[in-house]
Amino acid sequence: MNYIMKKIIVANWKMSPPTVKEAEGLFDGIQTSMPKLKDTEVVICPSFVHLDSLSKMLHASCFKFQVKLGAQDFFWEKKGFYTGEISIPMLKNFGVKYVIVGHSERREYLKANNEIINKKIKSALKSGLKVIFCVGEKERDEGGDYLKFIKQEILEGLSKLNRKDLDNLIIAYEPIWAISSNKNSLADDPQSFFQTSIYIRRVLFFKFGLKVSRQMPILYGGSVDAGNACSFIEEGNAQGLLVGRASLKPKTFTDLLKAI
Ligand code: PGA
């Protein structure tokens, strides 16, 4: 049974495109050919340096009710001497409503561990942002040890949070081996995603109770495209998708939106 009616489709542009002009072109292309979507929110997470111009474009368009801006990361302190960091108030200036936390690429090359991720989740939720909390294993093993790894990411990432804090939390299950930037990547199977999402709900149930476990949106990410998006939503019962590569061209992204 699907308890969450609204679908959330998140476009993670990572470090692309290289110029503001290209980012504007991509954004414009998506808006122009975007289908009318019912009960679906599209979240575009561009690079920090493109937020200013995209927020102006969004504000001036009729898509502002359907498309929201998100950031790919941020720093947990509101102010202070933190070279190179971006704070939540800075992001809010540009109308950012969502933040991605714990993406595997940042866990890998910036060594963002569960403790840091927990600090970020706590500060973003406290500031009223919606948090897309990424979890997922590097490898699958037959014995199911990867599930323990996911459990640890969830429990440590959500440490010292209560059920009442979690209304704005969204979990994105994104197995690292399925992300398209990895060699030989292949999307997970919708049935297998469904089973993993049940496991995630069990972990949430034992820690936070039935309501959180039932109502938590769980998105799927990793090599999503127009060809498989629909089956993750229908067969996999995903409440949405986290899309990297397929969100970088207006046609591939809007084809995906049309497919769902
Ligand atoms: P992908 O990336 O869709 O290109 O696999 C997803 C992500 O890294 O969030």
Side-chain angles (χ1 to χ4, degrees):
M1 177 163 191
N2 195 344
Y3 293 93
I4 313 293
M5 293 306 291
K6 199 170 180 178
K7 300 284 178 276
I8 306 161
I9 311 297
V10 185
N12 177 11
W13 287 3
K14 307 192 181 183
M15 210 169 69
S16 294
T19 65
V20 180
K21 214 167 162 221
E22 286 165 279
E24 288 174 350
L26 173 55
F27 197 65
D28 192 44
I30 291 172
Q31 287 191 347
T32 315
S33 43
M34 208 168 98
K36 249 206 159 115
L37 298 165
K38 233 178 125 206
D39 300 322
T40 303
E41 184 142 281
V42 175
V43 183
I44 305 228
C45 302
S47 149
F48 291 126
V49 296
H50 298 150
L51 279 170
D52 183 22
S53 100
L54 300 194
S55 71
K56 286 179 187 139
M57 282 175 76
L58 185 61
H59 197 69
S61 86
C62 57
F63 289 96
K64 59 185 170 218
F65 303 109
Q66 218 170 37
V67 177
K68 298 282 181 279
L69 279 179
Q72 297 171 20
D73 203 5
F74 59 95
F75 193 63
W76 62 84
E77 293 291 353
K78 283 203 173 89
K79 56 182 183 177
F81 305 104
Y82 303 105
T83 303
E85 297 295 352
I86 310 273
S87 72
I88 290 173
M90 287 171 175
L91 295 175
K92 283 186 156 181
N93 271 326
F94 299 119
V96 164
K97 300 277 186 264
Y98 286 78
V99 281
I100 297 175
V101 182
H103 190 282
S104 58
E105 285 156 9
R106 294 190 77 85
R107 287 183 191 258
E108 172 81 19
Y109 61 77
L110 285 177
K111 303 285 167 253
N113 58 28
N114 291 338
E115 195 186 331
I116 288 175
I117 287 160
N118 176 246
K119 281 187 186 176
K120 292 190 178 191
I121 292 177
K122 283 195 285 198
S123 76
L125 289 175
K126 213 166 154 195
S127 307
L129 288 173
K130 292 189 193 266
V131 173
I132 302 154
F133 171 31
C134 300
V135 298
E137 77 283 0
K138 219 178 209 159
E139 285 167 350
R140 268 230 181 136
D141 59 298
E142 301 250 312
D145 274 351
Y146 71 96
L147 293 172
K148 288 187 201 143
F149 179 81
I150 297 170
K151 180 177 178 181
Q152 190 176 0
E153 284 190 325
I154 295 172
L155 294 182
E156 291 183 9
L158 301 182
S159 156
K160 300 197 189 93
L161 282 158
N162 298 313
R163 69 189 73 179
K164 61 176 179 16
D165 301 321
L166 301 181
D167 287 349
N168 282 334
L169 190 87
I170 296 149
I171 291 184
Y173 170 63
E174 194 167 61
I176 300 172
W177 48 266
I179 296 179
S180 71
S181 52
N182 291 315
K183 237 175 138 194
N184 307 323
S185 62
L186 200 63
D188 196 5
D189 170 65
Q191 281 301 322
S192 136
F193 163 73
F194 182 58
Q195 285 166 11
T196 312
S197 71
I198 290 173
Y199 176 77
I200 292 172
R201 291 194 193 284
R202 263 175 68 92
V203 172
L204 294 171
F205 172 74
F206 285 113
K207 175 79 182 156
F208 299 106
L210 185 63
K211 192 163 172 246
V212 170
S213 143
R214 272 187 175 174
Q215 294 184 349
M216 180 69 66
I218 302 182
L219 317 187
Y220 169 75
S223 296
V224 177
D225 57 26
N228 60 20
C230 192
S231 48
F232 279 104
I233 302 267
E234 289 197 337
E235 280 171 56
N237 201 28
Q239 278 77 52
L241 303 163
L242 177 54
V243 189
R245 186 166 291 176
S247 69
L248 289 173
K249 287 205 175 104
K251 182 160 172 17
T252 52
F253 191 56
T254 51
D255 280 353
L256 184 155
L257 295 175
K258 284 172 194 159
I260 62 157

